[in-house]
Amino acid sequence: MMHWFEGPLAAFDTETTGVDVERDRIVSAALVAQDTAGGRVRVTRWLVNPGVPVPPGATEIHGLTDDHLQRNGRWPAPVMDEIARALAESCATGRPLVVMNAPFDLTLLDRELKRHRASSLARYLDGVPMRVVDPRVLDKHLDRYRKGRRTLTDLCASYEVVLDGAHDAAADATASLELVRAVCRRFSTRLERLSPSELHTLQATWHAAQARGLEAWFAKSGTPEAVDPSWPLRPELPAAA
């Protein structure tokens, strides 16, 4: 019997102007789909003119300049609509959605939909369950005592997954998809009996525990910092009074 993690998966990734999900913007995105392990990967890409300057630090990471985005990118409103529809259509098929560090990419997309479409990711899903698989959460729970960083590059090295062209949305999404397959194979005895829906629910609990642990570490190191426990999407901040 083939396990679900050897079957159909989709993966989503973005490149952005920064790391603040409430203020930063998407400059590129990709959704990749694969019907079976080792099968052909289908890629949908989006390039966005965010309408705001791209900080040099962000350009150094993903290579997308203001000039390139202004010449080749599309306006955010129609792109965000297309991305949200594509995610909803993929989720409607029952295909698990791989998102590395899901609270970042999914929350940022949700805020872009609010900004440009007066909408939300939940409205596009309209009751369709989104069964997210986050390789970062999985690895931190299943191999919690391993030392070292857990960026996509680090995890790909640890699980011997090829990452060709890091910080390109399509390359990162494809590597994340393969990473989920690799993590689930390594820990198959602990995961094979879980359905994607059950795993989605467990990851929310695992991420919350990981956030509490990170907060405690910050406090112990003398640099207190709040860590949002929400997964896979952060709630909207309350409006200012």
Side-chain angles (χ1 to χ4, degrees):
M1 181 184 69
M2 185 175 71
H3 301 304
W4 65 264
F5 50 81
E6 302 289 1
L9 292 178
F12 176 65
D13 188 75
T14 65
E15 297 300 328
T16 68
T17 60
V19 297
D20 187 333
V21 296
E22 303 296 339
R23 295 182 176 85
D24 279 306
R25 311 296 176 90
I26 293 173
V27 296
S28 70
L31 178 66
V32 306
Q34 188 181 47
D35 293 332
T36 187
R40 182 174 66 89
V41 175
R42 301 184 300 280
V43 181
T44 306
R45 303 171 185 264
W46 294 272
L47 191 66
V48 187
N49 178 354
V52 299
V54 180
T59 296
E60 287 179 11
I61 293 172
H62 50 58
L64 297 171
T65 64
D66 281 329
D67 182 67
H68 179 75
L69 293 171
Q70 289 168 11
R71 290 174 179 271
N72 302 286
R74 298 166 55 207
W75 288 113
V79 175
M80 299 310 150
D81 177 69
E82 288 177 15
I83 294 173
R85 288 181 185 276
L87 290 186
E89 289 170 5
S90 181
C91 291
T93 68
R95 191 183 297 260
L97 180 65
V98 175
V99 191
M100 173 74 182
N101 192 17
F104 177 77
D105 293 83
L106 295 181
T107 303
L108 188 54
L109 174 59
D110 181 76
R111 302 312 190 254
E112 287 277 59
L113 290 167
K114 178 181 178 182
R115 182 178 295 119
H116 298 291
R117 306 292 304 188
S119 189
S120 67
L121 186 55
R123 289 182 188 174
Y124 277 84
L125 291 168
D126 193 24
V128 172
M130 186 169 58
R131 302 181 301 171
V132 176
V133 187
D134 187 333
R136 186 168 182 267
V137 173
L138 289 183
D139 177 72
K140 288 182 73 173
H141 178 78
L142 296 166
D143 200 0
R144 67 183 68 183
Y145 299 113
R146 190 184 75 251
K147 294 183 179 179
R149 301 173 63 196
R150 298 179 195 252
T151 67
L152 179 60
T153 300
D154 297 316
L155 293 184
C156 285
S158 179
Y159 288 89
E160 299 182 346
V161 169
V162 174
L163 174 55
D164 187 10
H167 301 298
D168 169 83
D172 287 357
T174 302
S176 296
L177 186 151
E178 294 297 342
L179 183 57
V180 161
R181 296 198 195 279
V183 173
C184 289
R185 287 169 188 149
R186 182 175 294 184
F187 296 98
S188 60
T189 56
R190 298 169 65 180
L191 297 175
E192 62 187 7
R193 296 185 180 181
L194 294 172
S195 70
S197 296
E198 291 169 331
L199 187 58
H200 178 103
T201 300
L202 285 170
Q203 286 172 101
T205 301
W206 296 344
H207 180 270
Q210 292 162 9
R212 290 193 296 269
L214 188 56
E215 266 196 2
W217 184 85
F218 282 138
K220 186 176 180 180
S221 65
T223 55
E225 183 177 331
V227 181
D228 197 317
S230 304
W231 183 95
L233 187 70
R234 298 177 189 172
E236 278 194 58
L237 294 174

